[in-house]
Amino acid sequence: MDGQIEADQCCSDTASVTISDFSDEILLNVLTYVPSHDLVTNVSRVCRKLRTLCLDKSLTAHIHLHKEYTATDEAVKHLLRELSSNIQTLNVSGCYWLAGSTLDQVTRCKSMVQLDLSGCRVTPARLSRLLSSLQCLRSLALDVGPGFDLQQLSAEGKAALARLHELKQTLLTPSYGVVPCCSALRSLRLYLEASEGWQEAGGCAQLMVGQSSVPHYQNLRWFSARLAPGEVNRTLLALYLAVFSMRVPEGLTGLVLFVPGLAPPRPVAVTALTESMASSSGSKVRALQLPRTWLDGTVLGRVLAHGCPAYLNLSRCSAPGFNPLHVLLAAGRDLSPLRGLNLRGCGRGSLPESCSKGEEEMDAESVKALTDSCPHLTHLNLSATHYHHNSPAGQDGHLCGALGRLAHLRSLALPVCALAQRPPAAAHVTDSSTHLSSESLLLGLKKNRRIGVPTYQPEVVGGQGGEREEAATSCVRSMLKGCLHLVELELIGASFLSAMPRNEPAIRKDPAACPWACQVGDSQLAALGNLRFLRKLTLAHLPGVLKGTGLLQLVQGCKDLQVLSLANLGSLKTVNYTQALMEALKHCTQLRELRLEQPYFNGNAAFFEALSSCRCLHRLCLVSRHGTFLPTAVVNFMQSCAEVIMCHMFMGGTLVACKTLQKTLLDRGRHSGSSASILPYPLPPLLLHQPSPCPPSLHP
């Protein structure tokens, strides 16, 4: 650039407002939405004013590169060289494409306090160099893979680990990782993701030899472990928990354990931990989550006796004689500190009529009492239960009216039937307008009227049709009146089972929908368009959605929608909302992630052409039993949407067609100079990746 461009010349000469007209506070707020590497490599070169603002400490002290797939090695190296003296926290989690030489540049950041290397390959030698250079480091996140040997760390590296206060460790192999060297830990977060192959090789047996490698947690305040499915991870968790049976930390305020599927018997150490949490003096419990078979009324009551946690996960913990919601309300404690509550699958046990066996009915009265006791709730999950409103007074007493009092709510998960205003119409009710007497000569010749949900007609604004629509959506509007700032919303049928679940085996039989859920259709979806701040939306198992016109109005109102997940809308035999979906996609200008699960879906050229309108799309997942796709349309879509870095397609088709499409995308990636990341499947459906750095899969 020849010469300096003054601030008042950054915009066009014809513009009435220039950059110099905005205050620094406004510009700094705008620049917070720009990726850090773009600030240094591009924005700072525009003009002097922006160059000065890009070096402001509010922008350079905390560098977040997670999911920044455009951050190349050269850009990150330049960023670390320019801002090395200012960086205090650096997050490069998921940036697995970064070379080791790029990570070596982190040693320049002498003032760094927090470093997240999750997803990056870090050898013991490189970790030693990083730790020996970062003397101020107090928080570390890393992956421990096969071949990692703690003994290869240098003395300086081990000394740096001894100063850590926080550690997040993802174990891809049975190992203690770097925990034995971290004697001053206050927070330990474990992600156990070892494969089953290590169980056959006896990988956990090596950890049971001698207690010298077992760490002691005398200063620990937070312990969490999230397990991937598999017996090897359960064994690994048992080894970590065994340490607590020897010495229980005093003042543990957070205990979060997630074990998918059937949990093993409750270890003795867990009882000791919960007793320590309850008896700790001078500290309040921040979070509690245990597998459902490990939590009972005694354990929960003991913790609540000393104060209410800010986060409680009681998912599917209800059992005969134990209702966690009743225990929570009967504890006699102040519940106002509660911010996040997960009551998924927690009902009062009595099964609603005509619902599937084993499903729970929501204890609505207790939930309404909860909304009065917890006015500051920000996260609430009430899914996997049924709520059937039987009050003849209409909106009065409806659950949605109680939820509307939670003004601070930001994320909400509900069963679909919770939005139903009235009971489903009985099949035997006679229509007086088409009544045929027994004496009529036409009896038996007239076609029976189909019973179902009427198609939503948005053009009907007055008269009887408008009154019916207003009555059907009155409960939804009462909820939205107080929860206008919802950012995340999930409406999932109580009996919904994904064709590709994450932690459970796939079940091919589709369960029957709740009859009350059939009353929720396009008119209710259209009403959700008033959620102007909505960023993430999940709709699953809504049989009342027919043409999808409500979905179109929803996305027109929620203009900043970034994540959209749709599953089993309308009939499972035919897809009737394709046209409305394609129209809706044209309005999703900010959409980053899309997941669509629908049997018999046709991924034709028109669908992928409409999907090409989502220029910001990063991740796509299509799941369709008996579905079809047009390979040429997929190729054209991947070419037009350059930002897409993941495309998962679990659909029908032959193995030859899937392999051919995979090879086509691979060849085009090589021609453009980008590296391909492909995970082949032995049988269709096939997993396809855009030939560029890819993030973790979009889990169903």
Side-chain angles (χ1 to χ4, degrees):
M1 185 179 301
D2 297 330
Q4 300 292 339
I5 302 178
E6 297 297 330
D8 56 351
Q9 296 175 341
C10 291
C11 297
S12 173
D13 294 335
T14 59
S16 58
V17 179
T18 64
I19 290 181
S20 58
D21 296 325
F22 294 98
S23 65
D24 291 350
E25 290 76 12
I26 294 178
L27 291 177
L28 285 174
N29 186 51
V30 173
L31 293 177
T32 57
Y33 295 92
V34 181
S36 301
H37 63 283
D38 278 342
L39 289 177
V40 176
T41 57
N42 297 317
V43 179
S44 62
R45 299 180 179 181
V46 174
C47 62
R48 292 178 180 175
K49 184 178 182 68
L50 289 181
R51 183 184 300 112
T52 302
L53 292 177
C54 287
L55 296 178
D56 189 87
K57 289 185 178 181
S58 63
L59 300 177
T60 60
H62 309 284
I63 305 300
H64 188 85
L65 298 178
H66 177 62
K67 290 188 176 182
E68 295 295 345
Y69 302 106
T70 58
T72 62
D73 284 289
E74 292 73 16
V76 175
K77 287 180 180 179
H78 182 63
L79 169 71
L80 295 176
R81 286 194 297 264
E82 293 292 327
L83 307 179
S84 58
S85 59
N86 297 330
I87 298 178
Q88 297 180 10
T89 65
L90 175 63
N91 185 350
V92 291
S93 60
C95 299
Y96 53 86
W97 60 88
L98 294 180
S101 58
T102 303
L103 298 180
D104 288 337
Q105 299 296 320
V106 178
T107 57
R108 296 171 173 265
C109 308
K110 306 299 183 180
S111 303
M112 185 173 296
V113 178
Q114 182 176 352
L115 175 62
D116 193 338
L117 299 173
S118 303
C120 302
R121 187 176 181 273
V122 181
T123 62
R126 176 163 288 113
L127 182 60
S128 295
R129 290 195 295 269
L130 291 175
L131 294 176
S132 59
S133 302
L134 307 177
Q135 297 295 321
C136 298
L137 193 65
R138 294 298 179 268
S139 177
L140 176 66
L142 78 163
D143 292 358
V144 176
F148 185 90
D149 188 1
L150 185 62
Q151 302 304 321
Q152 296 180 7
L153 286 178
S154 63
E156 294 82 1
K158 294 180 180 179
L161 290 174
R163 295 190 295 267
L164 289 182
H165 293 166
E166 299 179 0
L167 176 65
K168 186 180 77 170
Q169 191 170 243
T170 302
L171 298 173
L172 307 176
T173 180
S175 170
Y176 288 124
V178 299
V179 174
C181 295
C182 305
S183 57
L185 281 183
R186 298 178 183 175
S187 173
L188 176 59
R189 304 173 188 266
L190 299 174
Y191 294 82
L192 309 182
E193 300 180 2
S195 62
E196 283 299 308
W198 291 104
Q199 180 72 14
E200 300 175 0
C204 290
Q206 301 176 6
L207 303 181
M208 302 174 64
V209 179
Q211 297 295 326
S212 59
S213 61
V214 177
H216 298 281
Y217 307 125
Q218 59 268 21
N219 299 316
L220 208 59
R221 297 294 178 268
W222 178 282
F223 179 80
S224 66
R226 185 176 183 89
L227 279 67
E231 186 63 31
V232 61
N233 292 311
R234 298 181 185 180
T235 305
L236 191 55
L237 175 63
L239 292 175
Y240 272 92
L241 292 177
V243 182
F244 293 111
S245 61
M246 296 183 297
R247 181 168 182 176
V248 179
E250 299 178 0
L252 188 68
T253 60
L255 178 61
V256 177
L257 303 177
F258 173 77
V259 181
L262 296 176
R266 182 170 60 188
V268 178
V270 173
T271 304
L273 284 174
T274 54
E275 292 177 352
S276 173
M277 295 177 69
S279 61
S280 58
S281 58
S283 59
K284 295 182 179 180
V285 179
R286 294 165 49 198
L288 177 64
Q289 176 181 348
L290 294 175
R292 56 184 177 182
T293 57
W294 294 8
L295 186 65
D296 54 24
T298 303
V299 174
L300 181 58
R302 185 186 301 122
V303 174
L304 292 176
H306 294 268
C308 180
Y311 169 79
L312 267 178
N313 191 325
L314 306 173
S315 176
R316 297 195 180 277
C317 287
S318 59
F322 171 51
N323 188 317
L325 186 53
H326 287 175
V327 176
L328 184 63
L329 294 174
R333 308 298 300 181
D334 179 19
L335 302 182
S336 59
L338 194 61
R339 296 296 184 268
L341 179 61
N342 188 341
L343 293 173
R344 180 176 182 267
C346 292
R348 59 188 178 190
S350 57
L351 298 175
E353 187 178 350
S354 73
C355 291
S356 302
K357 183 179 180 181
E359 295 180 2
E360 296 278 352
E361 182 180 17
M362 186 186 304
D363 192 347
E365 295 303 321
S366 296
V367 173
K368 294 174 185 177
L370 180 72
T371 59
D372 295 330
S373 303
C374 308
H376 303 295
L377 268 179
T378 56
H379 309 283
L380 179 61
N381 189 340
L382 298 174
S383 61
T385 56
H386 290 267
Y387 172 73
H388 297 168
H389 181 63
N390 290 305
S391 175
Q395 179 182 336
D396 294 339
H398 199 282
L399 174 67
C400 290
L403 295 177
R405 296 195 291 267
L406 299 176
H408 299 275
L409 208 58
R410 295 298 178 266
S411 67
L412 175 64
L414 288 175
V416 176
C417 55
L419 299 187
Q421 181 67 34
R422 58 180 61 87
H428 63 272
V429 175
T430 304
D431 191 342
S432 59
S433 63
T434 59
H435 174 68
L436 293 175
S437 66
S438 59
E439 294 81 9
S440 175
L441 296 177
L442 297 178
L443 184 63
L445 299 180
K446 184 175 179 64
K447 186 176 180 181
N448 292 332
R449 182 180 179 184
R450 295 184 62 185
I451 303 296
V453 180
T455 303
Y456 173 59
Q457 302 290 344
E459 64 273 7
V460 178
V461 294
Q464 186 177 2
E467 294 176 359
R468 287 198 302 266
E469 176 189 335
E470 183 177 356
T473 61
S474 59
C475 62
V476 180
R477 289 185 282 106
S478 67
M479 180 182 69
L480 300 184
K481 186 180 299 183
C483 303
L484 287 175
H485 295 88
L486 271 179
V487 176
E488 180 177 352
L489 176 64
E490 294 184 3
L491 294 178
I492 304 176
S495 58
F496 172 70
L497 295 173
S498 175
M500 295 194 65
R502 180 177 183 182
N503 294 319
E504 293 84 15
I507 300 177
R508 294 300 179 184
K509 183 178 180 181
D510 295 315
C514 173
W516 291 69
C518 297
Q519 308 301 307
V520 180
D522 290 300
S523 58
Q524 286 79 8
L525 295 186
L528 295 179
N530 293 320
L531 296 174
R532 306 302 182 185
F533 297 94
L534 197 64
R535 300 293 184 271
K536 184 176 181 179
L537 175 65
T538 299
L539 302 174
H541 210 184
L542 277 74
V545 175
L546 298 182
K547 297 298 182 182
T549 50
L551 182 63
L552 175 59
Q553 289 202 336
L554 189 154
V555 299
Q556 287 177 337
C558 305
K559 298 182 181 300
D560 294 328
L561 196 63
Q562 297 180 2
V563 180
L564 178 61
S565 179
L566 306 175
N568 293 4
L569 303 186
S571 172
L572 299 183
K573 299 298 182 182
T574 57
V575 187
N576 297 324
Y577 65 95
T578 304
Q579 188 62 39
L581 175 62
M582 291 189 297
E583 290 296 326
L585 289 175
K586 297 177 182 179
H587 295 274
C588 298
T589 56
Q590 303 299 320
L591 196 63
R592 302 291 196 275
E593 300 178 7
L594 172 64
R595 186 187 188 277
L596 176 62
E597 178 177 341
Q598 188 76 35
Y600 300 97
F601 184 79
N602 182 14
N604 53 22
F607 169 74
F608 281 103
E609 182 179 356
L611 192 59
S612 300
S613 304
C614 306
R615 296 296 182 181
C616 298
L617 192 66
H618 287 169
R619 309 168 78 186
L620 171 66
C621 180
L622 300 178
V623 181
S624 178
R625 295 201 303 266
H626 313 292
T628 59
F629 65 90
L630 188 63
T632 55
V634 179
V635 174
N636 294 335
F637 160 72
M638 299 294 272
Q639 285 181 330
S640 59
C641 292
E643 298 294 328
V644 175
I645 42 79
M646 188 196 79
C647 177
H648 288 193
M649 296 180 61
F650 301 92
M651 305 179 71
T654 63
L655 180 60
V656 174
C658 292
K659 287 292 186 182
T660 302
L661 179 58
Q662 183 183 32
K663 184 177 184 301
T664 301
L665 294 177
L666 178 62
D667 292 342
R668 291 180 181 272
R670 289 174 178 172
H671 181 73
S672 61
S674 58
S675 59
S677 176
I678 298 178
L679 178 62
Y681 248 62
L683 290 175
L686 184 68
L687 183 62
L688 298 176
H689 287 278
Q690 170 80 343
S692 65
C694 305
S697 63
L698 184 62
H699 293 289

